[in-house]
Amino acid sequence: MMGHWDGEGYLPMHKWLRQFRFELDMILRRPSIIALPFLFGALLWWSLSRIKPTDHLFSEAYSYYSMLHTMSLGLVMLLGILTIRRDVRRPSYEWSAGLPVSYGTIISAKYMAGLLYFTSYTVLAGGIYFWFSSQQVTSQITMQYTMFFTANFEVSYAVTLALAMLLAICIPNRIVYLIGFCAWMFGTFFMEIFILERFSLDILRTFHLSQLFVGSGNYTDTWGLVLAKDELHSSHLFVLAFTLMLLVIGVTVLQQLRPSKHRRRTWGLGICSVMLAAAVFVPYAMIWQGLNKMDKNRLADPSLYKLENIQFDRQPEIYGVKDYDIRLQKLKDDTLQAEVTMNIPADDLVGKTELPLTLNRMFQIRHVKVNGQEVTVKRQGEKLSLELSQVVTDPLKVEMSYSGKVLDYSKTSRGTGRYYAFVKGEDVFLPGYLAWYPIPGDQPIYLRDQDGIELGSIFTNLGFPRSDFKLTLSGFEKPLYTSLTEITRESGEQVYSGEVHDGVTLFGGELEELEQGTTPLHVVYTPYSKVWTEQIVQRINELDQYFNAWLPTDARKVKQLLFVPYQNYNHPDTENNAYVLNYISVDQEYMSQIIVNRMLVGTRLGDYLIDDVQGDIRMQLRALLWYVYYCENGLLNEEKNINGYMISELYARDWDKDEKELGIQMRKQVDEAVKLGKYDQIKKLLKHFYVQGLEIPIGLDQEASGLEQNRPIPYSAWEEQWKKVMGE
């Protein structure tokens, strides 16, 4: 029976419970201490209540939670020091060392009482987030992110409290308060800014007192938790073992202050706790060793292009590829197996005896055939060279089989590292610019900088020839999404098809689709982006209906909207027939106009190649489409529109490409017609030029761009057509 007298004293468990109740009463005896959790909860509630339904709840909550949690760790440090200095390390309480209560009982009771108090902060944080999240997403997703916050809160509180108690045990003087403050600042803000970010020592994240404060890609609901899952699990296990080590070391130090027959056992427990923490650290270190291995291999590759030797506007030397037929299968262990067939015209390869290709080094080639015959493959990194049996005179049919696992992580010169690509269960991110399928020529997928590895697509143009593309996917638990048109989805197999000129990126994970028929676009978004997506799609529909009334918008340049917030996706906003939005825009009106503009007139990436507006007014014509919309809807007087991105070409002065200010002249002509109410004539005029094509790709000539309508429109054509339509 617990609590009876056994001749030597109370049973150990009863002693511990009495000590625990005593320590808890000492903490809760002050009303201010009891009020602090409620104040903390009120701040969290107020912070989350300020987040608008259109904002991204998880990313906004992460910012608030990380800061408030880090500040609360200062209170943990203070309370941990006070619990020790109250009696254990107080000279006037030295007599308590003679009581029949071990230091192990005292320290563990103090620790559990303090941790129980701070668990109330964790419960409040988790409950508040659960409430707000459940208003937007399913309970399953809500619970997943709630557990993320609560686990990080509790683990951080556990290690900080143990560290504070150890500091107070080892430093009996009042200077411990200053040292505790420095430990709190060093373990949070200083470590974040001056160690993790400046020196890119991501492996030291686990020693950060507030792991929640570390970025580590957790700011969005796209793949943040998936990528951090293994690291966080191993980190939490190590931190808990490290916490136990701190407590055991504290007890060991105290045991030296009074005679005891258990010193050997105490030292043995101390040594075992250190060995346990070291053993648990090994799996965590192995995770980082594996992540950094690929970076080391790339840096050791002498064939890797150097950043200083790359020209930003460099046009890659590639050859045409008529079509691709790719079958991509994912095995249960996340290995990808690919079977690729490429039909290559002989036009650009006549006289060649080798065929250069680029394929990511993550994949191991099994066999390659050219026109049905096995060929030898020379490979160095991403560079492939197929040795042909004879000089090229006829078209080539290349068949390639390869496989590999995808987890592409790279360190950075400053800040935390980045995941360039990955395939982990249902979560998939395979950007086309990483050459997960063979692309023509020798192209710089990665670049070597003096501080590490950078993506080639950031600093130079990669070449993707216009090709017919068929992609068959199998073995994936959930549907994948890409910039091509989906043909079929049945029996665990997806088939995509379409013309490719920007590469092909695959997205998979916790993604949702907007119901078909509600918009001319096929819309994909992340769970916490639902409200924002629905509202911006509604605005897109309104704008689309306006322009559809007087422009032939059936052949839209954009047919999909893929809203996949991920900071490491480095690609222009459009890929083939999809607009890929990888950031959260707060201005829905502006964003909807940008998307509709891309639907109407396509890209303008080649606008920098227009040297003289006199010879090409396509930029001004694109702007006039929106100028008419602003005029007709009474929006022109808003300063943000006049100075905005959509119609800036109509207001530009002292522009070296428009020395005669033709854009301003065209606007004034339209203004005069608007005053006379000639909207129908203006629309007819703009429609005339619209059907000629206003897209401006990087290649200005028809052959280079692959667009039949990619021709400059001179100012003289505007003057001529104006007279015809307006009768002036």
Side-chain angles (χ1 to χ4, degrees):
M1 179 177 178
M2 185 176 64
H4 78 279
W5 185 261
D6 63 356
E8 298 180 1
Y10 287 101
L11 289 174
M13 188 62 186
H14 189 80
K15 286 182 180 181
W16 190 91
L17 289 174
R18 284 176 62 89
Q19 186 71 30
F20 173 76
R21 286 197 295 268
F22 171 74
E23 298 295 344
L24 190 60
D25 289 341
M26 294 299 290
I27 292 176
L28 300 179
R29 65 179 178 171
R30 295 183 180 180
S32 58
I33 294 294
I34 298 176
L36 282 175
F38 296 99
L39 176 61
F40 181 75
L43 285 173
L44 289 178
W45 184 279
W46 176 76
S47 299
L48 266 62
S49 64
R50 298 176 61 201
I51 301 175
K52 301 176 183 178
T54 54
D55 293 338
H56 195 280
L57 176 65
F58 177 62
S59 61
E60 295 291 331
Y62 192 100
S63 299
Y64 290 126
Y65 269 49
S66 62
M67 182 56 67
L68 289 173
H69 174 56
T70 302
M71 299 305 295
S72 70
L73 291 179
L75 178 62
V76 179
M77 185 68 70
L78 176 62
L79 188 64
I81 293 174
L82 286 174
T83 58
I84 298 299
R85 288 190 57 81
R86 185 180 63 237
D87 45 30
V88 175
R89 297 300 274 166
R90 192 170 181 176
S92 58
Y93 277 72
E94 289 180 350
W95 56 269
S96 64
L99 296 176
V101 182
S102 69
Y103 277 124
T105 299
I106 295 173
I107 296 302
S108 61
K110 286 178 179 290
Y111 179 78
M112 292 306 299
L115 188 61
L116 179 62
Y117 170 71
F118 286 107
T119 298
S120 64
Y121 290 71
T122 302
V123 172
L124 283 170
I128 291 170
Y129 183 81
F130 186 91
W131 169 262
F132 282 95
S133 178
S134 61
Q135 311 300 311
Q136 295 191 17
V137 299
T138 64
S139 58
Q140 180 182 358
I141 296 176
T142 293
M143 183 57 67
Q144 178 184 357
Y145 288 91
T146 300
M147 292 304 297
F148 165 76
F149 282 121
T150 55
N152 279 281
F153 265 64
E154 198 68 3
V155 170
S156 295
Y157 286 151
V159 68
T160 305
L161 182 61
L163 176 62
M165 294 174 66
L166 179 61
L167 289 175
I169 290 171
C170 297
I171 307 173
N173 301 317
R174 291 176 181 172
I175 192 66
V176 70
Y177 291 109
L178 178 59
I179 294 176
F181 174 80
C182 293
W184 168 53
M185 293 297 293
F186 178 86
T188 53
F189 298 104
F190 185 92
M191 176 171 282
E192 177 84 14
I193 298 171
F194 296 101
I195 296 180
L196 297 180
E197 291 188 359
R198 176 167 294 184
F199 299 106
S200 300
L201 296 174
D202 290 341
I203 193 173
L204 298 183
R205 288 179 187 175
T206 190
F207 295 101
H208 197 292
L209 290 183
S210 173
Q211 294 187 350
L212 190 65
F213 195 75
V214 179
S216 66
N218 296 322
Y219 293 109
T220 69
D221 60 334
T222 312
W223 299 294
L225 299 192
V226 174
L227 296 176
K229 182 179 178 180
D230 295 338
E231 174 203 341
L232 286 177
H233 179 70
S234 297
S235 176
H236 287 170
L237 288 178
F238 168 71
V239 171
L240 293 177
F242 188 78
T243 300
L244 177 63
M245 183 192 74
L246 295 178
L247 293 173
V248 172
I249 290 175
V251 173
T252 303
V253 172
L254 289 174
Q255 287 287 72
Q256 310 310 308
L257 301 179
R258 67 179 181 183
S260 174
K261 65 179 180 179
H262 302 302
R263 286 194 175 183
R264 288 186 178 180
R265 185 173 66 182
T266 303
W267 275 100
L269 289 174
I271 294 173
C272 288
S273 68
V274 174
M275 294 176 63
L276 175 63
V280 176
F281 183 76
V282 172
Y284 176 80
M286 290 180 65
I287 290 177
W288 284 108
Q289 183 183 17
L291 290 175
N292 294 326
K293 183 178 179 181
M294 181 170 288
D295 244 10
K296 292 180 180 179
N297 292 338
R298 285 186 292 224
L299 287 171
D301 183 357
S303 68
L304 204 67
Y305 285 99
K306 294 182 179 180
L307 179 59
E308 65 227 33
N309 298 331
I310 293 294
Q311 297 179 353
F312 180 77
D313 57 350
R314 165 185 176 269
Q315 295 297 319
E317 296 181 4
I318 63 173
Y319 48 85
V321 178
K322 181 181 178 182
D323 56 58
Y324 284 90
D325 187 352
I326 301 178
R327 300 189 66 87
L328 186 67
Q329 180 184 13
K330 185 178 79 69
L331 305 183
K332 291 183 178 180
D333 64 349
D334 292 338
T335 298
L336 294 182
Q337 289 187 349
E339 302 286 342
V340 179
T341 301
M342 306 165 58
N343 287 303
I344 303 174
D347 303 348
D348 303 322
L349 298 172
V350 173
K352 303 287 186 181
T353 58
E354 291 187 339
L355 184 68
L357 289 169
T358 301
L359 179 68
N360 200 291
R361 68 183 67 202
M362 292 182 288
F363 299 104
Q364 294 77 48
I365 298 174
R366 292 188 289 181
H367 67 79
V368 180
K369 293 182 179 180
V370 176
N371 291 338
Q373 295 183 351
E374 289 275 356
V375 298
T376 302
V377 181
K378 295 180 181 178
R379 182 171 195 179
Q380 191 164 16
E382 281 70 39
K383 303 176 182 180
L384 305 182
S385 180
L386 310 187
E387 294 187 356
L388 305 178
S389 59
Q390 58 185 12
V391 175
V392 176
T393 57
D394 300 314
L396 303 178
K397 180 180 180 181
V398 179
E399 300 171 90
M400 182 181 296
S401 175
Y402 56 90
S403 62
K405 289 189 175 182
V406 178
L407 187 61
D408 189 354
Y409 176 86
S410 181
K411 295 179 66 175
T412 58
S413 57
R414 290 182 66 91
T416 57
R418 299 166 290 189
Y419 284 92
Y420 288 146
F422 51 85
V423 176
K424 298 183 69 175
E426 63 191 35
D427 299 284
V428 177
F429 176 56
L430 272 177
Y433 54 74
L434 285 187
W436 63 267
Y437 63 92
I439 59 177
D442 177 9
Q443 306 202 49
I445 303 303
Y446 303 103
L447 298 174
R448 180 168 53 210
D449 192 8
Q450 58 182 355
D451 298 314
I453 298 295
E454 294 289 350
L455 286 178
S457 60
I458 299 177
F459 300 96
T460 187
N461 300 315
L462 297 182
F464 298 97
R466 288 187 173 268
S467 310
D468 292 329
F469 212 92
K470 181 181 179 183
L471 175 63
T472 304
L473 305 170
S474 61
F476 296 91
E477 292 85 349
K478 289 188 176 181
L480 298 190
Y481 303 97
T482 185
S483 55
L484 302 176
T485 302
E486 187 174 14
I487 306 302
T488 60
R489 183 192 301 182
E490 55 186 15
S491 302
E493 185 175 274
Q494 286 179 274
V495 179
Y496 283 95
S497 180
E499 186 184 59
V500 167
H501 49 83
D502 297 319
V504 176
T505 300
L506 300 180
F507 305 95
E510 288 288 348
L511 301 174
E512 300 178 4
E513 298 177 71
L514 203 62
E515 184 179 352
Q516 295 292 324
T518 59
T519 173
L521 297 174
H522 173 233
V523 182
V524 176
Y525 57 91
T526 57
Y528 283 107
S529 308
K530 182 176 182 180
V531 176
W532 185 91
T533 304
E534 289 177 343
Q535 293 191 9
I536 200 171
V537 166
Q538 180 182 355
R539 186 67 186 122
I540 289 173
N541 290 343
E542 294 171 357
L543 291 169
D544 185 68
Q545 290 175 5
Y546 170 81
F547 287 107
N548 193 45
W550 56 282
L551 290 176
T553 58
D554 293 335
R556 295 180 179 90
K557 305 294 183 181
V558 173
K559 298 179 181 179
Q560 295 191 76
L561 171 59
L562 305 179
F563 184 34
V564 190
Y566 186 58
Q567 58 186 349
N568 296 327
Y569 180 53
N570 299 292
H571 195 276
D573 46 23
T574 55
E575 180 181 292
N576 304 314
N577 67 356
Y579 193 99
V580 185
L581 187 59
N582 68 327
Y583 60 92
I584 301 168
S585 173
V586 295
D587 192 337
Q588 288 179 292
E589 180 64 27
Y590 173 78
M591 199 68 248
S592 60
Q593 291 184 16
I594 291 293
I595 295 173
V596 171
N597 188 61
R598 189 58 61 90
M599 292 169 60
L600 291 174
V601 292
T603 183
R604 50 171 287 178
L605 291 176
D607 60 1
Y608 70 95
L609 296 174
I610 300 177
D611 296 325
D612 183 15
V613 173
Q614 184 84 34
D616 194 351
I617 58 169
R618 282 180 294 176
M619 288 300 299
Q620 288 68 29
L621 291 171
R622 291 162 64 104
L624 282 174
L625 296 176
W626 289 97
Y627 189 77
V628 171
Y629 164 75
Y630 293 148
C631 289
E632 198 165 15
N633 290 276
L635 302 174
L636 191 58
N637 291 329
E638 296 185 14
E639 184 176 351
K640 65 178 182 179
N641 287 332
I642 293 178
N643 297 323
Y645 174 79
M646 306 302 296
I647 56 176
S648 60
E649 289 81 10
L650 305 179
Y651 289 86
R653 293 185 180 277
D654 300 325
W655 186 22
D656 56 353
K657 294 183 180 181
D658 191 11
E659 296 178 354
K660 297 182 179 180
E661 297 184 347
L662 299 180
I664 296 176
Q665 293 182 36
M666 294 168 68
R667 173 175 58 83
K668 290 181 178 179
Q669 286 179 278
V670 172
D671 283 340
E672 293 297 326
V674 167
K675 291 179 181 178
L676 299 175
K678 295 184 176 181
Y679 279 105
D680 291 340
Q681 291 92 326
I682 298 173
K683 292 178 180 178
K684 181 180 179 181
L685 175 66
L686 292 176
K687 180 181 178 181
H688 169 80
F689 292 108
Y690 178 82
V691 297
Q692 296 181 34
L694 300 180
E695 185 166 12
I696 313 175
I698 292 180
L700 281 181
D701 60 280
Q702 178 179 339
E703 182 179 353
S705 68
L707 296 175
E708 295 180 358
Q709 295 179 312
N710 184 36
R711 301 184 184 90
I713 300 177
Y715 180 72
S716 58
W718 166 266
E719 291 182 309
E720 178 182 350
Q721 195 63 25
W722 180 273
K723 294 178 180 179
K724 288 183 180 180
V725 175
M726 297 298 179
E728 297 178 6

